[in-house]
Amino acid sequence: MTETSSRLPRHVAVIMDGNGRWAKKRLMPRFAGHVVGVETVRQIVKQCAELKIEVLTLFAFSSENWRRPPTEVTALMQLFSTALQREVNKLDKNKVRLRIIGDRSAFSEELQQLILKAEAQTANNTGLTLVIAANYGGHWDIVQAAKQLARQVAAGQLNPEEVDEAKLAQYLSLPELPEPDLFIRTGGEQRISNFLLWQLAYTEFYFTDILWPDFGREAFASALESFSKRQRRFGRTGDQVEQDKNA
Ligand code: IPE
Ligand code: IPE
Ligand code: MG
């Protein structure tokens, strides 16, 4: 095993940004960028599966993206539906387990059914877990978890004094998955844009100017390479980490 492959992240979380600018540069409608962006998703999923990365979480639509022009929102919903219909059998064949996080109640009944079906079909797969964050917001996630705890308190099933980090985390999206080790944002912006807030507490960040439709195998390999060289200290000193490694 090479140094890089021995220090692979278990969970990679990605903000796929830059589709609109990619299209604009080519004098194409923004939607064309989203369509090509789906190709990039295919290829990254394949690469993660090959590398045996356990979890890949992709930010597909934020709770703030409803603010975009209605035509773009409709087109994105359509693209999501089509991709689900077209890709699920192939994902299933490749042992990918698909999970969707976010407030799905805002989606059309048809799209909600497609999501349920895709999750059910792939639920028992043991390969890559592919998480799609759709109508997801980090604030929403924490609020919905707090709401569930509040309901238990109101029902007399939970003592407020028992609420701790682990209890809250249990009700967030992705409770049973390892927290993201590596966060990648393409497209040049350096911000979280309300993606996984709680879960990114100790994640390594990697930003690249490459626009999502151009983000290829080599670009992903560079992100992994950068991750492999970092020392994760989790509050301790660098010397402590080195000592533990040599113990
Ligand atoms: C990311 O690309 C995709 C979504 C938010 C759905 P953008 O559409 O944000 O692309 P830019 O940032 O405008 O280039
Ligand atoms: C974040 O990208 C959301 C997704 C990639 C789905 P945006 O392009 O919406 O983020 P901002 O608005 O520039 O921060
Ligand atoms: Mg953007």
mmCIF file of all heavy atoms in Angstrom, residues 2 25 38 45 55 60 84 102 109-110 118 128 131 137 145 148 167 170 183 187 198 231 235 246:
data_model
loop_
_atom_site.group_PDB
_atom_site.id
_atom_site.type_symbol
_atom_site.label_atom_id
_atom_site.label_comp_id
_atom_site.label_asym_id
_atom_site.label_seq_id
_atom_site.Cartn_x
_atom_site.Cartn_y
_atom_site.Cartn_z
ATOM 1 N N THR A 2 0.545 2.194 -0.842
ATOM 2 C CA THR A 2 1.342 3.423 -0.859
ATOM 3 C C THR A 2 0.931 4.299 0.316
ATOM 4 O O THR A 2 -0.112 4.092 0.918
ATOM 5 C CB THR A 2 1.086 4.216 -2.149
ATOM 6 O OG1 THR A 2 -0.278 4.635 -2.117
ATOM 7 C CG2 THR A 2 1.325 3.396 -3.390
ATOM 8 N N LYS A 25 -19.210 30.723 -19.163
ATOM 9 C CA LYS A 25 -17.955 30.901 -19.898
ATOM 10 C C LYS A 25 -18.054 30.420 -21.330
ATOM 11 O O LYS A 25 -17.323 30.836 -22.211
ATOM 12 C CB LYS A 25 -16.841 30.078 -19.208
ATOM 13 C CG LYS A 25 -16.045 30.862 -18.225
ATOM 14 C CD LYS A 25 -14.784 30.226 -17.665
ATOM 15 C CE LYS A 25 -14.320 28.871 -18.085
ATOM 16 N NZ LYS A 25 -13.289 28.321 -17.165
ATOM 17 N N VAL A 38 -23.572 16.418 -13.775
ATOM 18 C CA VAL A 38 -24.012 15.054 -13.453
ATOM 19 C C VAL A 38 -22.976 14.023 -13.937
ATOM 20 O O VAL A 38 -22.729 13.012 -13.280
ATOM 21 C CB VAL A 38 -25.410 14.760 -14.062
ATOM 22 C CG1 VAL A 38 -25.810 13.308 -13.834
ATOM 23 C CG2 VAL A 38 -26.455 15.684 -13.463
ATOM 24 N N VAL A 45 -18.170 9.132 -8.254
ATOM 25 C CA VAL A 45 -18.757 7.977 -7.559
ATOM 26 C C VAL A 45 -17.955 6.721 -7.917
ATOM 27 O O VAL A 45 -17.608 5.911 -7.054
ATOM 28 C CB VAL A 45 -20.251 7.807 -7.935
ATOM 29 C CG1 VAL A 45 -20.795 6.458 -7.480
ATOM 30 C CG2 VAL A 45 -21.075 8.933 -7.334
ATOM 31 N N VAL A 55 -17.866 6.469 2.401
ATOM 32 C CA VAL A 55 -19.017 7.367 2.238
ATOM 33 C C VAL A 55 -18.643 8.578 1.382
ATOM 34 O O VAL A 55 -17.588 9.193 1.589
ATOM 35 C CB VAL A 55 -19.519 7.898 3.608
ATOM 36 C CG1 VAL A 55 -20.837 8.646 3.436
ATOM 37 C CG2 VAL A 55 -19.660 6.785 4.634
ATOM 38 N N ALA A 60 -26.238 18.694 -3.393
ATOM 39 C CA ALA A 60 -26.862 18.852 -4.705
ATOM 40 C C ALA A 60 -27.780 20.068 -4.770
ATOM 41 O O ALA A 60 -27.939 20.696 -5.816
ATOM 42 C CB ALA A 60 -27.658 17.600 -5.056
ATOM 43 N N LEU A 84 -32.123 10.095 -10.857
ATOM 44 C CA LEU A 84 -32.539 8.990 -9.986
ATOM 45 C C LEU A 84 -33.054 7.825 -10.824
ATOM 46 O O LEU A 84 -32.667 6.671 -10.639
ATOM 47 C CB LEU A 84 -33.647 9.445 -9.031
ATOM 48 C CG LEU A 84 -33.231 10.107 -7.725
ATOM 49 C CD1 LEU A 84 -34.453 10.583 -6.957
ATOM 50 C CD2 LEU A 84 -32.416 9.165 -6.845
ATOM 51 N N GLY A 102 -32.016 15.803 3.880
ATOM 52 C CA GLY A 102 -32.599 17.119 3.631
ATOM 53 C C GLY A 102 -34.099 17.041 3.836
ATOM 54 O O GLY A 102 -34.639 15.960 4.081
ATOM 55 N N GLU A 109 -44.655 15.003 -4.941
ATOM 56 C CA GLU A 109 -44.992 13.650 -4.489
ATOM 57 C C GLU A 109 -44.225 12.618 -5.317
ATOM 58 O O GLU A 109 -43.687 11.639 -4.796
ATOM 59 C CB GLU A 109 -46.508 13.459 -4.645
ATOM 60 C CG GLU A 109 -47.068 12.239 -3.953
ATOM 61 C CD GLU A 109 -46.678 12.140 -2.468
ATOM 62 O OE1 GLU A 109 -46.721 13.176 -1.749
ATOM 63 O OE2 GLU A 109 -46.307 11.029 -2.060
ATOM 64 N N GLU A 110 -44.147 12.880 -6.613
ATOM 65 C CA GLU A 110 -43.481 11.947 -7.531
ATOM 66 C C GLU A 110 -41.988 11.794 -7.175
ATOM 67 O O GLU A 110 -41.459 10.685 -7.111
ATOM 68 C CB GLU A 110 -43.647 12.482 -8.954
ATOM 69 C CG GLU A 110 -43.237 11.493 -10.013
ATOM 70 C CD GLU A 110 -43.002 12.190 -11.342
ATOM 71 O OE1 GLU A 110 -43.340 13.393 -11.478
ATOM 72 O OE2 GLU A 110 -42.447 11.517 -12.232
ATOM 73 N N ALA A 118 -35.602 4.439 -4.528
ATOM 74 C CA ALA A 118 -34.156 4.304 -4.749
ATOM 75 C C ALA A 118 -33.451 3.886 -3.456
ATOM 76 O O ALA A 118 -32.557 3.036 -3.458
ATOM 77 C CB ALA A 118 -33.578 5.627 -5.257
ATOM 78 N N LEU A 128 -19.941 1.413 -1.529
ATOM 79 C CA LEU A 128 -19.945 2.844 -1.208
ATOM 80 C C LEU A 128 -21.330 3.307 -0.744
ATOM 81 O O LEU A 128 -22.339 2.948 -1.345
ATOM 82 C CB LEU A 128 -19.544 3.633 -2.466
ATOM 83 C CG LEU A 128 -19.628 5.160 -2.382
ATOM 84 C CD1 LEU A 128 -18.488 5.712 -1.530
ATOM 85 C CD2 LEU A 128 -19.588 5.779 -3.783
ATOM 86 N N VAL A 131 -24.387 9.629 -0.332
ATOM 87 C CA VAL A 131 -25.398 10.472 0.313
ATOM 88 C C VAL A 131 -25.601 11.720 -0.545
ATOM 89 O O VAL A 131 -24.640 12.413 -0.866
ATOM 90 C CB VAL A 131 -24.943 10.899 1.730
ATOM 91 C CG1 VAL A 131 -26.018 11.745 2.402
ATOM 92 C CG2 VAL A 131 -24.605 9.690 2.588
ATOM 93 N N GLY A 137 -29.923 21.870 4.661
ATOM 94 C CA GLY A 137 -29.253 23.026 5.260
ATOM 95 C C GLY A 137 -28.738 22.602 6.623
ATOM 96 O O GLY A 137 -29.428 21.874 7.347
ATOM 97 N N ALA A 145 -33.262 18.150 14.643
ATOM 98 C CA ALA A 145 -32.790 17.270 15.725
ATOM 99 C C ALA A 145 -33.273 17.820 17.071
ATOM 100 O O ALA A 145 -33.780 17.069 17.922
ATOM 101 C CB ALA A 145 -31.268 17.169 15.709
ATOM 102 N N GLN A 148 -36.886 17.039 17.680
ATOM 103 C CA GLN A 148 -37.149 15.651 18.101
ATOM 104 C C GLN A 148 -36.846 15.466 19.588
ATOM 105 O O GLN A 148 -37.580 14.781 20.296
ATOM 106 C CB GLN A 148 -36.315 14.671 17.273
ATOM 107 C CG GLN A 148 -36.697 14.661 15.792
ATOM 108 C CD GLN A 148 -36.062 13.503 15.067
ATOM 109 O OE1 GLN A 148 -36.258 12.348 15.434
ATOM 110 N NE2 GLN A 148 -35.281 13.790 14.039
ATOM 111 N N LYS A 167 -26.455 12.715 22.301
ATOM 112 C CA LYS A 167 -27.923 12.625 22.170
ATOM 113 C C LYS A 167 -28.406 13.457 20.989
ATOM 114 O O LYS A 167 -29.228 13.014 20.195
ATOM 115 C CB LYS A 167 -28.587 13.160 23.444
ATOM 116 C CG LYS A 167 -29.036 12.089 24.414
ATOM 117 C CD LYS A 167 -30.531 11.892 24.359
ATOM 118 C CE LYS A 167 -30.982 10.519 24.803
ATOM 119 N NZ LYS A 167 -30.090 9.699 25.573
ATOM 120 N N GLN A 170 -27.410 12.023 17.610
ATOM 121 C CA GLN A 170 -28.204 10.844 17.263
ATOM 122 C C GLN A 170 -29.382 11.187 16.354
ATOM 123 O O GLN A 170 -29.870 10.350 15.616
ATOM 124 C CB GLN A 170 -28.761 10.327 18.579
ATOM 125 C CG GLN A 170 -28.869 8.844 18.739
ATOM 126 C CD GLN A 170 -29.468 8.576 20.136
ATOM 127 O OE1 GLN A 170 -28.989 9.099 21.148
ATOM 128 N NE2 GLN A 170 -30.530 7.800 20.162
ATOM 129 N N PHE A 183 -13.433 17.515 3.343
ATOM 130 C CA PHE A 183 -14.451 18.368 2.719
ATOM 131 C C PHE A 183 -13.807 19.008 1.498
ATOM 132 O O PHE A 183 -12.702 19.550 1.583
ATOM 133 C CB PHE A 183 -14.879 19.438 3.730
ATOM 134 C CG PHE A 183 -15.556 20.661 3.146
ATOM 135 C CD1 PHE A 183 -16.943 20.758 3.117
ATOM 136 C CD2 PHE A 183 -14.811 21.725 2.643
ATOM 137 C CE1 PHE A 183 -17.566 21.895 2.603
ATOM 138 C CE2 PHE A 183 -15.442 22.862 2.120
ATOM 139 C CZ PHE A 183 -16.821 22.944 2.102
ATOM 140 N N GLY A 187 -15.027 25.304 -7.462
ATOM 141 C CA GLY A 187 -15.622 26.557 -7.933
ATOM 142 C C GLY A 187 -15.048 27.826 -7.328
ATOM 143 O O GLY A 187 -15.508 28.920 -7.629
ATOM 144 N N TRP A 198 -22.634 20.849 11.927
ATOM 145 C CA TRP A 198 -22.224 20.063 13.097
ATOM 146 C C TRP A 198 -21.182 19.019 12.702
ATOM 147 O O TRP A 198 -20.145 18.855 13.358
ATOM 148 C CB TRP A 198 -23.477 19.393 13.677
ATOM 149 C CG TRP A 198 -23.253 18.487 14.826
ATOM 150 C CD1 TRP A 198 -22.704 17.223 14.782
ATOM 151 C CD2 TRP A 198 -23.553 18.741 16.195
ATOM 152 N NE1 TRP A 198 -22.663 16.691 16.034
ATOM 153 C CE2 TRP A 198 -23.180 17.604 16.923
ATOM 154 C CE3 TRP A 198 -24.121 19.831 16.873
ATOM 155 C CZ2 TRP A 198 -23.343 17.503 18.300
ATOM 156 C CZ3 TRP A 198 -24.287 19.729 18.239
ATOM 157 C CH2 TRP A 198 -23.892 18.571 18.938
ATOM 158 N N GLN A 231 -1.793 16.517 9.283
ATOM 159 C CA GLN A 231 -1.766 15.922 10.620
ATOM 160 C C GLN A 231 -3.040 16.346 11.345
ATOM 161 O O GLN A 231 -3.262 17.535 11.592
ATOM 162 C CB GLN A 231 -0.544 16.400 11.401
ATOM 163 C CG GLN A 231 -0.415 15.685 12.738
ATOM 164 C CD GLN A 231 0.658 16.309 13.620
ATOM 165 O OE1 GLN A 231 0.667 17.522 13.823
ATOM 166 N NE2 GLN A 231 1.542 15.483 14.140
ATOM 167 N N GLY A 235 -7.259 18.663 18.789
ATOM 168 C CA GLY A 235 -7.035 19.408 20.029
ATOM 169 C C GLY A 235 -5.711 19.108 20.717
ATOM 170 O O GLY A 235 -5.284 19.866 21.588
ATOM 171 N N ASN A 246 3.698 6.209 16.788
ATOM 172 C CA ASN A 246 4.850 5.318 16.909
ATOM 173 C C ASN A 246 4.680 4.285 18.016
ATOM 174 O O ASN A 246 5.506 3.390 18.165
ATOM 175 C CB ASN A 246 6.118 6.145 17.185
ATOM 176 C CG ASN A 246 6.407 7.106 16.044
ATOM 177 O OD1 ASN A 246 6.089 6.793 14.898
ATOM 178 N ND2 ASN A 246 6.953 8.273 16.335
#
